[in-house]
Amino acid sequence: MNNIIFEEGKGIAKIIINRPKALNALNSETIKELGTVINEISEREDIKVVIITGAGEKSFVAGADITEMKDLTAIQAKELSRKAQNVFSEIENMPQVVIAAVNGYALGGGCELSMCCDIRLVSSKARFGQPEVGLGIIPGFAGTQRLPRLIGKGRAKELIFTTDMIDAQEAYRIGLANKVYNPEELLPKTYEMAEKIMSKAMYAVGLAKASINNGLNMDTESSYNYENSLWTICFATEDQKEGMQAFIEKRKAILKGC
Ligand code: DAK
C-alpha cells in the first residue's frame, strides 16, 4: 500500500494514514487502501482493537484531497461518493473496537473519519472542523448525519455553516473528543485504553457496540427489544458465567472473549 501503514501486535492493529506532505488528505487511492485494510482486519478474530491515526506531527487527516476532487463531474462525484461512504460505514460497523488517535488537523473528511470510530482520543494539538461549505460542497462522508448525533443539531449546524475550526479543548467540551492528552502521551494513552477494553469480556463489548450503533437507528421500542435480545445472548457465553462466578468468589475474572 502506498498511503497506509499497517502495524499489529498483541491483538491491536494500528492504521496510519500516511500522506504527511498533503497533511494526510484522503485521495481515492488512500480511501481504496483504507477499505482493503478494513476488510482484512474485519475478518481477523485475533485483532480486538483498531487504532486509526495520521502520520507526522501536524495532521490526523486534513480532509478529502481537494486537488483530486476539484474537477470531478457530478457523475464521477456520485461514484466516488458511494464507494467512499461504504468504507466509512464499514469502519463504523467493524466487529472490533475502533479508536481514533487524533494527532492534529481533523478537517472535513478527517473529522468525519474520526466520527466513524467508536472513541476519539485527541492530542492538545488537534483541530476539528467541517470546511466543506467554504468549498461549495456539503460534508459527504455522512458528516451531516454523524456530527449532530454526536454533539447535537444546533452545534453541528454552527460548525458546518460557519466552517469554524475548533481546538481540542472545545472538541472535548462539546463531546466530540473523549479525552485530550499532550501530544507525546496520545499514543501510549490510546494503547492503554485499548488494553483496558481488551481485558473485558470482548464478546460482550462487541454486542454493546452493535446495540448502540444499530439501536440508534431504530425507534425506541424496537431498540429496547433489540438490546434485550443481545443481553440474552450474553448468557450463552463462558465469560458471563466466569465473570459472575468470579464476583461471587471475590476473585479476578479470567475472561476469554467467548
Ligand atoms: N487536500 C489536498 N491537499 C491538502 C489538503 C487537502 N484537503 N490539506 C492540505 N493539503 C496540502 C496543501 O495543499 C499543502 O500542499 P503543498 O502546497 O505543500 O504542496 C500541504 O498539504 C500543507 O498544507 P498547508 O501549506 O496549507 O499547511 P498550513 O499549515 O498552512 O495549513 C490547513 C493547514 C489544514 C489549515 C490547510 O492545509 C487547509 O485548510 N487544508 C484544507 C482543509 C480542508 O478544507 N479540508 C476539507 C476538504 S473537503 C466525499 C465525501 C466527503 C468529502 C469528499 C468526498 N465523497 C462522498 C466522495 C470531503 C470533503 C472534504 O474533506
Side-chain angles (χ1 to χ4, degrees):
M1 284 184 289
N2 295 322
N3 311 294
I4 301 276
I5 299 172
F6 172 71
E7 295 170 1
E8 63 171 290
K10 296 185 183 162
I12 303 174
K14 183 163 69 166
I15 297 172
I16 305 170
I17 313 292
N18 185 34
R19 295 186 72 216
K21 284 188 184 146
L23 302 185
N24 304 321
L26 298 173
N27 59 5
S28 47
E29 186 182 50
T30 309
I31 294 172
K32 196 170 169 204
E33 291 178 359
L34 188 57
T36 305
V37 80
I38 292 298
N39 278 332
E40 282 172 15
I41 296 172
S42 293
E43 300 292 320
R44 296 265 310 265
E45 286 187 8
D46 57 322
I47 295 178
K48 309 293 183 196
V49 178
V50 180
I51 295 169
I52 302 183
T53 193
E57 310 215 321
K58 207 169 156 182
S59 185
F60 174 68
V61 167
D65 192 308
I66 301 170
T67 4
E68 193 187 71
M69 234 182 340
K70 75 177 180 32
D71 294 323
L72 291 182
T73 64
I75 291 171
Q76 289 167 326
K78 187 163 194 295
E79 181 56 19
L80 179 65
S81 168
R82 198 181 50 77
K83 285 187 191 150
Q85 265 203 357
N86 285 347
V87 173
F88 278 51
S89 295
E90 278 166 23
I91 295 172
E92 183 167 45
N93 294 309
M94 286 182 91
Q96 292 87 358
V97 171
V98 187
I99 307 177
V102 181
N103 54 313
Y105 290 115
L107 303 175
C111 182
E112 291 169 302
L113 175 61
S114 80
M115 290 191 288
C116 296
C117 301
D118 298 308
I119 293 166
R120 282 150 296 285
L121 303 185
V122 319
S123 133
S124 52
K125 288 190 347 199
R127 298 286 178 274
F128 289 85
Q130 296 285 167
E132 286 88 344
V133 300
L135 297 163
I137 55 175
I138 65 169
F141 293 134
T144 59
Q145 305 309 308
R146 291 196 181 96
L147 192 59
R149 284 170 171 80
L150 263 176
I151 65 172
K153 200 158 78 167
R155 286 200 171 107
K157 285 179 177 170
E158 183 186 340
L159 278 185
I160 291 170
F161 298 171
T162 64
T163 77
D164 283 348
M165 224 189 273
I166 57 168
D167 66 14
Q169 281 305 334
E170 178 65 358
Y172 175 70
R173 194 184 72 79
I174 64 176
L176 188 51
N178 292 70
K179 287 191 166 44
V180 182
Y181 297 111
N182 292 326
E184 64 281 5
E185 277 185 323
L186 177 63
L187 276 177
K189 289 288 186 189
T190 307
Y191 274 92
E192 204 177 284
M193 182 181 278
E195 280 157 17
K196 180 188 255 188
I197 293 170
M198 284 166 58
S199 74
K200 309 299 175 194
M202 283 310 283
Y203 194 81
V205 170
L207 292 182
K209 172 170 172 168
S211 187
I212 294 167
N213 281 3
N214 299 328
L216 281 172
N217 295 324
M218 295 176 188
D219 64 84
T220 314
E221 197 57 34
S222 306
S223 71
Y224 295 164
N225 289 334
Y226 179 60
E227 183 193 70
N228 193 259
S229 313
L230 299 185
W231 185 80
T232 310
I233 292 172
C234 298
F235 287 79
T237 66
E238 288 182 27
D239 281 351
Q240 177 272 325
K241 305 285 173 247
E242 165 62 9
M244 294 191 183
Q245 190 61 36
F247 174 79
I248 308 276
E249 292 172 9
K250 300 190 188 304
R251 62 174 172 81
K252 195 172 180 312
I254 302 163
L255 301 168
K256 297 183 193 152
C258 56

